[in-house]
Amino acid sequence: MISELENGKIKITVDTNGAQLKKLILKKNGKNYLWHGDSKYWGRSAPVLFPIVGRLKNNHYFYKGQKYEMTQHGFARDKEFELVEQSKNHLTYLLEESKDTLEKYPFKFRLQIIYNIKGNSLDITYRVINQDQKNIYFSIGAHPAFYWPLAENEKKEDYYLEFEKKETADKHLLESGLLNHQRKKLLNNSRILELKPEIFKDDALVFKNLVSEKVTLKSKKSEREVKVEFKNFPYLGIWSQSAEAPFICIEPWQGIADSVDSTGKLEDKEGINELKSGRKFECTHTISIN
């Protein structure tokens, strides 16, 4: 089921399937800034990543000595959520454990995804509530894809990412989707990362513990831009499916892929969140468009 929210500046549509954002439209120009999900390149637009972010080593993990299978980015993106609350400015979606999820993930939980619009900005809040009698372990992340380029008469090379603060940062390299402990210098006391189609030839750009809490996709030829604010997200991924794919993903993460030498023990996984029984975890990222 598709639901809509709009104000004087923007309009969004969200699908109960995956509680996935499907459109993000700036009303003054009628432009949808969010990738439409063409399976020729990538059939999604903005999936939620839960209860893992990235790939597990050998697509499984261990908890209390038992082995559980789980594919990349977890199961939430493929589940039907319930729309439990709607007002003029916000939508709240809910996913709870089921027989199917308990076979892959032995925890009782409530996952709420809350969309709230204000001006030309969209806040997306992830709320995880531990419904179990034991501590639960999880990661969660965003994966929104934006058109790149944003205007029909522009090229990918006309675009760059502008970080909030000067960064000296490496990208952490992936090997078959797993971190291999190698790094490559990408930013040296700079706020600007020039974008070219070949920048993703070795998979996603994975950053850890950036100084910045905001990054903006900008054009050298127009005023169109997308700003993503990611306070309290220790990891950031930037990705596109191929040199030809007409989109770029800016991904705030509370979690990260396994490493090539991971033990596979869920409690020891890098970036994992531990939540006590009855407690609530919450984080919010914001997308603003111009």
Side-chain angles (χ1 to χ4, degrees):
M1 181 181 78
I2 300 292
S3 296
E4 297 180 350
L5 286 180
E6 64 179 300
N7 58 22
K9 300 283 188 179
I10 63 174
K11 178 179 179 179
I12 69 168
T13 64
V14 184
D15 194 345
T16 48
N17 185 252
Q20 183 174 201
L21 182 67
K22 301 295 288 185
K23 291 183 180 180
L24 176 56
I25 298 169
L26 187 64
K27 294 175 77 171
K28 70 179 182 181
N29 59 24
K31 172 71 176 179
N32 176 25
Y33 284 57
L34 199 71
W35 168 245
H36 67 285
D38 184 349
S39 59
K40 177 181 178 181
Y41 298 107
W42 188 56
R44 304 180 191 267
S45 56
V48 58
L49 315 181
F50 177 88
I52 60 169
V53 171
R55 188 176 298 280
L56 295 171
K57 184 180 178 182
N58 298 318
N59 290 320
H60 65 248
Y61 67 91
F62 296 92
Y63 175 72
K64 300 292 187 184
Q66 187 167 340
K67 181 180 175 181
Y68 296 89
E69 304 282 341
M70 193 179 296
T71 54
Q72 186 177 26
H73 296 321
F75 53 73
R77 60 183 182 167
D78 296 315
K79 292 296 182 183
E80 188 72 14
F81 282 66
E82 181 184 359
L83 176 60
V84 293
E85 189 174 330
Q86 181 172 5
S87 73
K88 180 180 179 181
N89 294 317
H90 88 271
L91 300 164
T92 300
Y93 292 86
L94 173 66
L95 179 70
E96 296 181 293
E97 83 282 346
S98 63
K99 180 180 178 182
D100 177 64
T101 68
L102 288 168
E103 291 176 354
K104 306 169 186 174
Y105 181 67
F107 302 104
K108 297 178 181 179
F109 67 90
R110 289 170 62 90
L111 170 60
Q112 294 178 327
I113 302 179
I114 303 157
Y115 294 92
N116 189 77
I117 58 173
K118 183 179 180 180
N120 65 336
S121 297
L122 168 65
D123 291 336
I124 304 172
T125 298
Y126 299 140
R127 181 182 294 152
V128 181
I129 302 169
N130 184 350
Q131 298 284 87
D132 219 313
Q133 298 301 308
K134 58 183 179 288
N135 293 359
I136 69 172
Y137 299 87
F138 68 93
S139 296
I140 194 162
H143 203 316
F146 307 101
Y147 282 106
W148 175 39
L150 291 168
E152 294 73 16
N153 59 344
E154 295 177 341
K155 300 181 296 183
K156 288 186 174 184
E157 291 86 349
D158 296 327
Y159 283 76
Y160 61 96
L161 291 175
E162 182 179 272
F163 289 85
E164 176 190 19
K165 299 177 182 178
K166 288 185 177 181
E167 299 283 354
T168 296
D170 299 337
K171 68 171 182 176
H172 294 257
L173 302 183
L174 296 166
E175 183 179 318
S176 299
L178 304 176
L179 295 165
N180 63 10
H181 304 297
Q182 297 182 40
R183 303 181 182 186
K184 184 176 181 180
K185 184 66 68 180
L186 205 61
L187 292 165
N188 186 12
N189 194 35
S190 175
R191 295 177 61 201
I192 303 301
L193 177 61
E194 298 287 347
L195 292 175
K196 299 178 180 179
E198 60 269 21
I199 197 170
F200 300 109
K201 65 182 179 64
D202 298 320
D203 210 326
L205 311 182
V206 177
F207 297 100
K208 299 183 181 183
N209 298 310
L210 293 168
V211 179
S212 301
E213 295 178 340
K214 303 175 186 177
V215 64
T216 306
L217 175 66
K218 290 189 170 185
S219 170
K220 300 171 185 175
K221 293 188 174 180
S222 72
E223 295 183 354
R224 288 187 182 176
E225 64 179 42
V226 176
K227 178 170 67 176
V228 178
E229 302 178 51
F230 51 96
K231 186 177 182 180
N232 297 323
F233 286 83
Y235 307 99
L236 183 71
I238 310 292
W239 176 78
S240 190
Q241 183 267 347
S242 66
E244 296 77 27
F247 66 85
I248 185 170
C249 297
I250 304 175
E251 310 174 39
W253 295 337
Q254 277 272 354
I256 200 167
D258 273 355
S259 60
V260 293
D261 56 0
S262 171
T263 65
K265 188 176 179 182
L266 184 63
E267 301 96 313
D268 296 339
K269 180 174 170 54
E270 181 181 355
I272 203 76
N273 292 294
E274 181 180 1
L275 190 62
K276 293 182 179 180
S277 179
R279 296 290 182 86
K280 176 178 71 176
F281 167 94
E282 194 169 288
C283 60
T284 299
H285 69 283
T286 301
I287 304 170
S288 304
I289 55 177
N290 283 305

